[in-house]
């Protein structure tokens, strides 16, 4: 992945705002001065308000475990309080403080670390206190989040040294942070970096987690660094090469304007490039509902951007269709209705349904060895082969499926090609689903390591024809026995998997971490025995079909009213 994280070595305390939020145990590239007065540096003007904490230094005569706990208590409030960083420093020796890399990694924990003190002799000059914890996810130095397949136990040591005055201080500790899932999303801000598709029609999100105080600065640096490796061939770069932040901060003015000062290469940008750069930063830095503007500057000189660019965020276009009683119907509102010029299913054995944007084309899997496109003139075979997985239709009207470890694509012109994917060797594909903007594909596969969910970038030629897939990122590693993955939001998948007791359930898993719940995948409640799931990106609509043919629509987090019964198949476009 390309690095979007700024090097904060030598920076000020506020620049290290990614400390933690419940028991930070270290990590990073930020440096807090060890001499002189505490001062603010590159922190953004907005402050997180979730945490209220009164920092306090060590109590004279405190035992080693009390020193470690005091350090953790102060460190956890660091993202919102320079004073807490200053207090945390008092628990460390000078060398420990200056050698602490806070952002090298973040360990997301199930619960809080438990301290294990050692017996300390009266004349001892050193001792070790261990912090025991259960890790459920990690965050790397670039803000990339990954769930653990299974929770794992760790023990991290804190070495303490007795000073000449008899007081204990932490003299050695591991790089990185530890924080509970309950506080992860308070310390870190889920940020969608947006990169445009090559045709400049759609945004493609890349989810990262950045320190809450400095997330806009970190996000801007990441945008300027370019897309991550897995999206490099599925998106395009609009910022002139060599452009970086002129100062190590993106600030928010009193009027809400987000000021982004860039280095001189931005002055070489064309009018279109400036407009695209501004649009990209607005999409990334201005969150929904905010009334903010982004002002671009070449160092201290404001840049004029006369053009406006309209690029869409990923969203499903069109209604869901369903097969019931041998006919194709449309799902509108909360019920099924007749479809104008509904295609005939005569002579077919429809076992899976897929729809293109705007309800065109409509395709079904006929049995398990043929996929056909439906039309008024009758079904037209587009792909054949034993044990084809359920089809997916992308925005170019290409039909995707797979058999074994081979992914096949039938283009709108009728040509069929196989995509050779090396990371699917020795695996068998169970589900394929293309994202609304056509730049990513979610693949469920089974193999020696079990069932895995991956999302990869789609490589296309100048005509939009798929030519390959990137190396993937794994999603929902903690969800077991996944059969199906569909796009529920622009960077969230709905997975049909199994809970620990083996019961089938629908899970939401983020591509880069699920919002809330510490970023972890979670099972949806209120629906029993799901056998199929389909979703609409942008609306949040989610439909589930059970084994009896009952169709349910998600209304709230746990309320699923019955739409109708005797439904065979259902699918939103995609």
């Amino acid at each position: 992945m390309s690095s979007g994280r700024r090097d904060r070595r030598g920076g000020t305390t506020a620049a290290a705002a990614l400390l933690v939020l419940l028991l930070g145990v270290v990590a990073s590239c930020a440096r807090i001065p060890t001499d002189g007065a505490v001062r603010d540096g590159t922190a953004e003007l907005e402050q997180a308000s979730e945490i209220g904490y009164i920092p306090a230094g060590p109590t004279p005569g405190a035992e080693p475990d009390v020193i470690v706990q005091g350090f953790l208590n102060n460190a956890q409030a660091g993202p919102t309080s320079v004073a807490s960083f200053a207090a945390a420093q008092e628990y460390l020796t000078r060398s420990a403080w200056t050698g602490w890399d806070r952002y090298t990694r973040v360990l997301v924990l199930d619960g809080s670390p438990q301290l294990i003190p050692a017996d300390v002799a009266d004349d001892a000059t050193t001792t070790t206190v261990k912090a025991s914890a259960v890790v459920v996810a990690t965050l790397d130095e670039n803000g990339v989040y990954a769930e653990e397949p299974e929770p794992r136990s760790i023990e991290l040591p804190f070495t303490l040294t007795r000073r000449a005055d008899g007081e204990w201080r932490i003299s050695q500790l591991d790089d990185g942070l530890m924080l509970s899932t309950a506080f992860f999303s308070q310390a870190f801000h889920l940020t969608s970096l947006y990169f445009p598709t090559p045709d400049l029609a759609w945004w493609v999100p890349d989810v990262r987690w950045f320190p809450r105080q400095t997330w806009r600065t970190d996000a801007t640096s990441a945008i300027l660094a370019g897309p991550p490796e897995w999206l490099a061939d599925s998106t395009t770069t609009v910022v002139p090469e060599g452009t970086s932040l002129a100062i190590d901060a993106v600030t928010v003015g009193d009027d809400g304007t987000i000021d982004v000062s860039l280095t001189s290469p931005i002055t070489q940008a064309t009018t279109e490039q400036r407009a695209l750069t501004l649009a990209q930063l607005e999409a990334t830095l201005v969150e929904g509902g905010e009334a903010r503007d982004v002002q671009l500057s070449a160092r201290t000189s404001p840049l004029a951007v006369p053009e406006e660019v309209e690029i869409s965020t990923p969203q499903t276009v069109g209604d869901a269709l369903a097969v019931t009683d041998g006919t194709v119907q449309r799902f509108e509102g909360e019920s099924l209705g007749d479809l104008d010029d509904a295609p005939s299913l005569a002579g077919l054995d429809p076992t899976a349904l897929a729809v293109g944007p705007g309800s065109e084309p409509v395709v079904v899997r006929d049995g398990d060895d043929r996929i056909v496109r439906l039309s008024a003139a009758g079904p037209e075979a587009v792909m054949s082969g034993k044990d084809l997985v359920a089809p997916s239709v992308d925005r170019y009207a290409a039909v995707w499926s797979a058999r074994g470890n081979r992914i096949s694509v039938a283009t709108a012109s009728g040509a069929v090609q196989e995509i050779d994917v090396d990371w699917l060797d020795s695996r068998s594909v169970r589900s394929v689903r293309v994202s609304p903007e056509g730049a990513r594909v979610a693949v469920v596969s089974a193999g020696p390591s079990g069932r895995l969910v991956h999302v990869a970038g789609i490589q296309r030629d100048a005509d939009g024809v798929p030519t390959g897939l990137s190396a993937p990122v794994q999603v929902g590693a903690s969800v077991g026995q996944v059969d199906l993955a569909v796009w529920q939001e622009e960077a969230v998948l709905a997975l049909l998997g199994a809970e620990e007791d083996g019961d089938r359930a629908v899970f939401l898993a983020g591509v880069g971490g699920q919002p809330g719940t510490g970023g972890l995948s979670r099972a949806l409640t209120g629906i029993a025995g799901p056998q199929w799931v389909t979703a609409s990106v942008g609306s949040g609509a989610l439909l589930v079909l059970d084994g009896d043919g009952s169709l349910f629509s998600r209304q709230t987090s746990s309320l699923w009213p019955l739409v109708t019964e005797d439904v065979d198949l259902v699918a939103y476009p995609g």
Side-chain angles (χ1 to χ4, degrees):
M1 309 275 289
S2 60
S3 175
R5 180 57 57 83
R6 298 171 291 128
D7 183 2
R8 293 194 183 88
R9 291 185 183 275
T12 59
T13 55
L18 193 235
L19 215 282
V20 24
L21 209 280
L22 205 234
L23 311 179
V25 160
V26 252
S28 180
C29 312
R31 282 290 176 267
I32 296 177
T34 56
D35 297 308
V38 175
R39 55 192 174 87
D40 283 316
T42 59
E44 294 163 18
L45 298 186
E46 293 183 299
Q47 301 290 318
S49 60
E50 288 86 347
I51 306 164
Y53 179 77
I54 300 175
T59 301
E63 295 297 321
D65 59 321
V66 177
I67 291 295
V68 173
Q69 188 65 67
F71 168 74
L72 295 177
N73 288 345
N74 281 280
Q76 73 183 4
T80 60
S81 171
V82 173
S84 292
F85 280 116
Q89 181 179 352
E90 297 182 35
Y91 291 82
L92 306 182
T93 64
R94 179 187 296 268
S95 61
W97 182 256
T98 58
W100 182 25
D101 280 342
R102 298 170 187 81
Y103 301 121
T104 296
R105 66 171 181 178
V106 175
L107 303 179
V108 185
L109 310 179
D110 180 10
S112 303
Q114 302 298 309
L115 299 185
I116 308 172
D119 293 333
V120 182
D122 292 341
D123 60 348
T125 58
T126 63
T127 189
T128 298
V129 174
K130 294 182 179 180
S132 174
V134 176
V135 179
V136 294
T138 59
L139 191 71
D140 73 10
E141 62 185 359
N142 297 316
V144 178
Y145 185 99
E147 286 187 59
E148 294 285 325
E150 294 183 358
R152 58 184 175 91
S153 298
I154 60 163
E155 281 189 357
L156 295 183
F158 291 81
T159 300
L160 294 93
T161 301
R162 196 194 300 266
R163 301 189 314 194
D165 62 1
E167 298 296 335
W168 290 100
R169 293 295 181 265
I170 299 169
S171 57
Q172 186 175 343
L173 67 173
D174 284 11
D175 289 334
L177 301 175
M178 290 196 301
L179 60 154
S180 164
T181 57
F183 292 94
F184 177 76
S185 60
Q186 296 184 48
F188 294 87
H189 185 276
L190 185 147
T191 307
S192 290
L193 309 178
Y194 286 103
F195 298 93
T197 54
D199 61 1
L200 305 179
W202 297 80
W203 292 121
V204 183
D206 172 33
V207 171
R208 309 283 185 91
W209 296 81
F210 294 127
R212 186 164 290 277
Q213 279 191 334
T214 59
W215 73 268
R216 285 192 172 94
T217 303
D218 291 325
T220 301
S221 294
I223 286 290
L224 298 177
E229 184 178 352
W230 73 279
L231 288 177
D233 295 326
S234 306
T235 60
T236 189
T237 299
V238 299
V239 183
E241 185 176 356
T243 303
S244 61
L245 282 170
I247 58 174
D248 197 21
V250 170
T251 59
V252 180
D254 293 337
D255 62 353
T257 299
I258 301 169
D259 293 310
V260 180
S261 177
L262 303 176
T263 52
S264 57
I266 192 63
T267 62
Q268 307 302 315
T270 65
T271 300
E272 181 185 29
Q273 285 178 316
R274 291 187 189 184
L276 287 167
T277 299
L278 179 62
Q280 186 177 19
L281 290 171
E282 286 178 337
T284 298
L285 303 180
V286 180
E287 298 185 297
E290 291 185 329
R292 299 189 187 278
D293 294 319
V294 174
Q295 173 63 59
L296 289 184
S297 300
R299 297 196 180 276
T300 58
S301 301
L303 289 174
V305 183
E307 296 184 0
E308 290 189 3
V309 177
E310 294 292 337
I311 300 180
S312 299
T313 55
Q315 55 186 295
T316 300
V317 179
D319 299 321
L321 299 185
V323 173
T324 178
D325 194 27
T327 63
V328 180
Q329 295 191 335
R330 185 187 302 277
F331 179 77
E332 296 178 296
E334 294 297 325
S335 62
L336 294 179
D338 293 337
L339 179 66
D340 294 337
D341 300 320
S344 172
L345 296 172
L348 301 177
D349 176 24
T351 56
L353 172 69
V355 188
S359 301
E360 288 290 340
V362 179
V363 300
V364 296
R365 182 179 59 190
D366 183 22
D368 64 1
D369 60 0
R370 192 171 75 127
I371 294 176
V372 301
R373 181 183 291 112
L374 303 181
S375 69
E380 172 191 357
V382 298
M383 194 181 301
S384 61
K386 185 174 177 57
D387 297 326
L388 290 167
V389 305
S392 175
V393 183
D394 68 21
R395 70 178 174 103
Y396 297 90
V399 179
W400 293 62
S401 185
R403 59 182 182 275
N405 65 351
R406 310 289 291 183
I407 292 179
S408 300
V409 182
T411 66
S413 65
V416 179
Q417 64 184 65
E418 289 190 340
I419 299 178
D420 187 17
V421 184
D422 56 5
W423 47 268
L424 286 174
D425 290 347
S426 75
R427 303 194 64 79
S428 178
V429 178
R430 300 183 66 90
S431 169
V432 174
R433 188 76 171 188
V434 182
S435 59
E437 84 292 338
R440 301 162 294 162
V441 61
V443 179
V444 180
S445 64
S449 54
R451 295 187 192 178
L452 303 177
V453 182
H454 290 106
V455 172
I458 300 173
Q459 300 155 358
R460 298 179 184 267
D461 64 18
D463 296 321
V465 176
T467 59
L469 300 183
S470 72
V473 294
Q474 188 174 356
V475 180
S478 62
V479 183
Q481 297 300 306
V482 179
D483 287 321
L484 176 67
V486 300
W487 294 91
Q488 192 265 341
E489 284 299 344
E490 62 179 34
V492 176
L493 298 177
L495 307 179
L496 186 59
E499 297 189 273
E500 292 184 0
D501 60 5
D503 289 344
R504 306 302 291 166
V506 177
F507 297 79
L508 297 184
V511 184
Q514 166 70 8
T517 65
L520 297 172
S521 301
R522 68 176 187 269
L524 298 178
T525 60
I527 187 71
Q531 298 299 310
W532 183 262
V533 60
T534 186
S536 174
V537 174
S539 70
L542 195 62
L543 299 174
V544 162
L545 199 61
D546 71 10
D548 296 325
S550 297
L551 181 64
F552 299 89
S553 173
R554 187 185 185 209
Q555 191 172 87
T556 66
S557 59
S558 59
L559 184 61
W560 296 77
L562 175 67
V563 175
T564 189
E565 298 177 327
D566 299 324
V567 175
D568 299 313
L569 308 169
V570 64
Y572 272 104

